[in-house]
Amino acid sequence: MAARGNFSSRIGFIAAAAGSAVGLGNIWGFPYEAGAGGGAIFVLVYLFFCFALFFPVMLTELAIGRKSGRNAVGAFEALGHKKWNFIGKLGVLSGVLILSFYNVIAGWAFGYTFEMAAGNFEVTEHFRAYTTNIFAVGSYGLLFMIATAYIVSKGVSEGIEKAAKVLMPSLIIMMFSLIIYSLFLPNAMAGIKFFLLPDFSKLTSTVVFNAMGQAFFSLSLGMGTFITYGSYIKKNDNLIGSAALITLTDVGIAITAGLMIFPLIGFISGGSLSGVGRGPELIFVTLPHIFGEIGPTAGAIVGMVFFLLLCFAALTSTVSLLEVPVSYVVDEFKLSRKKAAWMMSGIVYLIGIPSLMGNGYSSYFSEFITYIGADQPTDFLSFIVNIANDSFLPLGGALMVFFAVHIWKKENMEAEIAAGFENYENSWIRKYLRFVMPVLLPGTLFIIFSMIVLSTFFGF
Ligand code: PHE
């Protein structure tokens, strides 16, 4: 087999893996979910799921990846359980589907960078018209996909790692500059309070459910991202330490995004936080409007920096989404990495076209399907989100954890974790993993999966 490539340093691997986790989910999804879901209480539930439950899923993926040294599908065969590689195939399919719509949204953000730079804040009033203009936004999406394919085609250390090492620090610097700016706006503190002081009366099952889904997606779990990235790391790396760093970075950036955005909402609402769109329209409608209010020059700069950092965050995620299928094709079908990256991204771009058209351009894809018991049709992009993010990821996660503990066997997984972690035998983390992994964790994920399928598609 040709050399598969490796991360050249631990910090490079962490940057790439954290880059995968940090994406639209953190900077767009998290603030809007928190805004819609009661603020700080959502944040608390989110933190609980990240650390208590989903952290072991990441560890599982990393252990499978490093031990096998193969892609998300081949890994199961390399561990001697080829029959179970359907889990990896589900992951590859999820990656392809997620990338197909994720790239559409990234294309919107990319286009917004230029709109803001040009001081065109009105685009926000006409967001629908903007997404309907599929030739313009489709071209931005195409450029974004080309950038993704280019990075992946360059390989693990020369492409993915190098890009992450530049993009991630730039992202962090841009975010902190914007936080400092937004904290000095009038009524910034009202926004911060809403975001950080929990109101327990707002804790509902919907909040718990959304926080759970948000956490899982945000950590890039359930589709083999970390099996794939884990296959490129060294035997003596400390997997627990790495998973902890990746989770901390992901959570840290999500909170940072909230600290950047909620002061702006405090500012625009005069401190009341009411009357401000905090749903999915937050990023593409509310924020640009706020940038316009800040003033023509400052608003253009702040707006441009904001959307540029959103693009940077998205790019390290699209790279990881593409790497999962590319690594599969390279390992299993012996295609060159270059060919695999360009071919796969072309296919994914085509699969994304209905998502592109389903936001106003084509009424067929905009009102694609009406689920049982629903009174509104769902557009194609949301349909793919419901299938891939909401259903496949928790199902994939449940299957992976079940596989690791009961088929591959927990002793084998523990041996893999212990390599690079002194004293694992006597650690509390080992006890904790033995407690949650056999039943509780896969059970919870499977219940989430079933409940989502029943409630989304069948109206229960
Ligand atoms: N975690 C990324 C985000 O928050 C999305 C992602 C999901 C990337 C699954 C890879 C795999 O935007």
Side-chain angles (χ1 to χ4, degrees), residues 20-26 98 102 217-220 223 225 317 320-321:
S20 164
V22 172
L24 296 171
N26 304 60
I98 293 175
Y102 200 96
F217 178 74
S218 180
L219 291 172
S220 303
M223 53 163 269
T225 315
S317 296
S320 73
L321 284 161

Side-chain angles (χ1 to χ4, degrees), residues 17-29 46 94-95 98 102 214-226 250 313-314 316-322 324 389 393:
S20 164
V22 172
L24 296 171
N26 304 60
I27 295 165
W28 178 33
Y46 168 84
S94 308
I98 293 175
Y102 200 96
Q214 173 62 29
F216 206 71
F217 178 74
S218 180
L219 291 172
S220 303
L221 299 174
M223 53 163 269
T225 315
F226 294 111
D250 187 57
T316 45
S317 296
T318 53
V319 161
S320 73
L321 284 161
L322 184 61
V324 171
N389 298 14
L393 294 186

Side-chain angles (χ1 to χ4, degrees), residues 250-376:
D250 187 57
V251 168
I253 299 273
I255 305 256
T256 311
L259 292 178
M260 177 171 79
I261 287 168
F262 283 99
L264 294 171
I265 295 179
F267 161 71
I268 198 73
S269 64
S272 69
L273 294 151
S274 57
V276 180
R278 298 201 295 247
E281 72 276 21
L282 175 70
I283 294 294
F284 290 107
V285 179
T286 312
L287 282 189
H289 171 71
I290 300 176
F291 299 146
E293 293 293 308
I294 288 175
T297 315
I301 296 173
V302 172
M304 189 188 76
V305 172
F306 177 81
F307 282 100
L308 193 63
L309 78 83
L310 191 60
C311 291
F312 278 23
L315 188 56
T316 45
S317 296
T318 53
V319 161
S320 73
L321 284 161
L322 184 61
E323 178 60 20
V324 171
V326 163
S327 158
Y328 166 56
V329 175
V330 169
D331 280 355
E332 307 300 318
F333 300 94
K334 311 286 179 266
L335 222 63
S336 79
R337 171 170 279 276
K338 233 197 193 126
K339 259 196 207 136
W342 290 105
M343 213 182 72
M344 202 44 100
S345 54
I347 294 172
V348 174
Y349 188 80
L350 292 179
I351 297 177
I353 287 179
S355 293
L356 184 66
M357 300 207 300
N359 282 277
Y361 179 79
S362 138
S363 55
Y364 176 73
F365 289 118
S366 302
E367 298 170 5
F368 184 64
I369 185 170
T370 305
Y371 301 140
I372 297 169
D375 35 42
Q376 296 275 344

Side-chain angles (χ1 to χ4, degrees), residues 70-122:
R70 286 269 279 282
N71 62 87
V73 179
F76 293 88
E77 185 182 348
L79 297 180
H81 302 282
K82 190 171 179 198
K83 264 205 300 215
W84 289 81
N85 74 8
F86 70 90
I87 304 175
K89 288 183 180 156
L90 180 72
V92 169
L93 178 64
S94 308
V96 166
L97 291 177
I98 293 175
L99 182 55
S100 77
F101 77 79
Y102 200 96
N103 187 71
V104 170
I105 301 174
W108 295 344
F110 192 34
Y112 259 59
T113 313
F114 299 101
E115 300 285 347
M116 294 298 110
N120 179 16
F121 307 110
E122 288 92 74

